Amino acid sequence: MSRPVLASVDLHALRQNLQVVRRAAPGSRVWSVVKANAYGHGLDRVWRGLETTDGFAMLNLEEAILLRERGWKGPILLLEGFFHADELPLFDKYRLTTTVHSNWQLKALQDAQLHAPLDVYLKINSGMNRLGFLPERAQTLWQQLRGLKNVGDMTLMSHFAEAEKPDGIERAMTQILQATEGLACSRSLANSAATLWHPQSHGDWVRPGIILYGASPSGQWQDIATAGLKPVMTLSSEIIGVQTLKAGDRVGYGGRYTARGEQRIGIVATGYADGYPRHAPDGTPVLVDGVRTGTVGTVSMDMLAVDLTPCPQAGIGTPVELWGREIKIDDVAAAAGTVGYELMCALAPRVPVVTV
């Protein structure tokens, strides 16, 4: 028998989440963001669940080529563009849309020998201060790109740093609008949070990421609880051992947890080598046989312990949901001091994944 830890990916939920996005941003086309191997869900596994999207957005050229080889003929956007000028022939061959965020990319595009112009997203830095040109350069750069023979359709792009806040995009939107006044151009500004909560930013294309997978861009599930989004990934396992503690007994490495009285705990075949956060504190939520309880003690490489007090019927072989439909990944992440994004992307290659 194989180890019982298992991840499942719900393609029906994925399709439903895409429809939620379309309802939230009517009139905008959708870039489904599938970077980081579709946020840990497996690009090759899930892309067909998103095949009604208008385009796919990602980082890795290899993943873009995979989509083309699987038969996707629609737009593909590389969110950080090409990393080296010698990648441009592949962008040309596979007809990929490139982001341009740096002067060297402008020069590389100008000098490249291409069979046909590439569509370009001009990235403006509106306060994130990672990639992109200063807003005051937008007009000049737009005209410069427009004059290059290797540039086809163009779109203005930015990325909000604080879109999860009620007033989080006001300053950035003001900068963008002022800098591009009079510029007739397509725009792609809205990430997941802006797609849900800032309709004034939607423009021609929205770029949902985390919400496609049923988690909150704010890191708080309650912020999206009524949006109609469904968790796509479930991480599950089973109890493989039971211990009965007496008062004063400690659990796990370092003895972090101490029993206050007699207590049954279950040992679950999941640990940080599977992608579960090692720093999850006592009480991190978990579902045992349909009953919500919490972890106890330090998470080990291959195992963790859970309190069986609320579920005295649980024993060897009892099913456990670490996150998924009932235990929201945002709640696990919040308990562990991180975000759902990280937990999704941290799912270990050794964990078998099935689609449902």
Side-chain angles (χ1 to χ4, degrees), residues 158-177:
S158 192
H159 190 73
F160 298 120
E162 299 179 281
E164 72 280 1
K165 299 178 181 178
D167 60 351
I169 73 165
E170 290 181 4
R171 182 176 179 182
M173 283 296 293
T174 298
Q175 283 185 316
I176 292 167
L177 292 173

Side-chain angles (χ1 to χ4, degrees), residues 243-251 257-264:
Q243 299 289 340
T244 300
L245 309 179
K246 59 182 183 298
D249 283 348
R250 297 190 295 173
V251 178
Y257 179 82
T258 303
R260 296 180 179 178
E262 185 173 300
Q263 178 184 5
R264 290 176 77 240

Side-chain angles (χ1 to χ4, degrees), residues 12 43 52 56 96 100 122 124 130 195 208 240 264 273 285 299 324:
H12 177 74
L43 176 60
T52 61
F56 286 101
L96 307 176
V100 172
L122 174 62
I124 301 301
R130 295 188 309 191
T195 298
I240 61 171
R264 290 176 77 240
V299 175

Side-chain angles (χ1 to χ4, degrees), residues 29 31 53-57 67-68 72-77 95-97 119 205:
R29 287 177 287 177
W31 287 114
T53 189
D54 300 295
F56 286 101
L67 278 185
R68 287 288 188 241
W72 173 254
K73 300 185 184 304
I76 297 177
L77 170 64
R95 293 287 88 202
L96 307 176
T97 299
D119 293 344
W205 287 85

Side-chain angles (χ1 to χ4, degrees), residues 61 80-93 98-114 118 150:
L61 181 56
E80 294 176 8
F82 50 94
F83 295 100
H84 304 282
D86 60 9
E87 293 174 341
L88 279 169
L90 289 174
F91 276 67
D92 185 21
K93 177 180 178 181
T98 182
T99 297
V100 172
H101 57 75
S102 298
N103 289 324
W104 74 266
Q105 291 175 317
L106 288 170
K107 182 66 165 57
L109 266 177
Q110 178 179 313
D111 295 343
Q113 298 298 315
L114 305 178
L118 295 177
N150 285 330

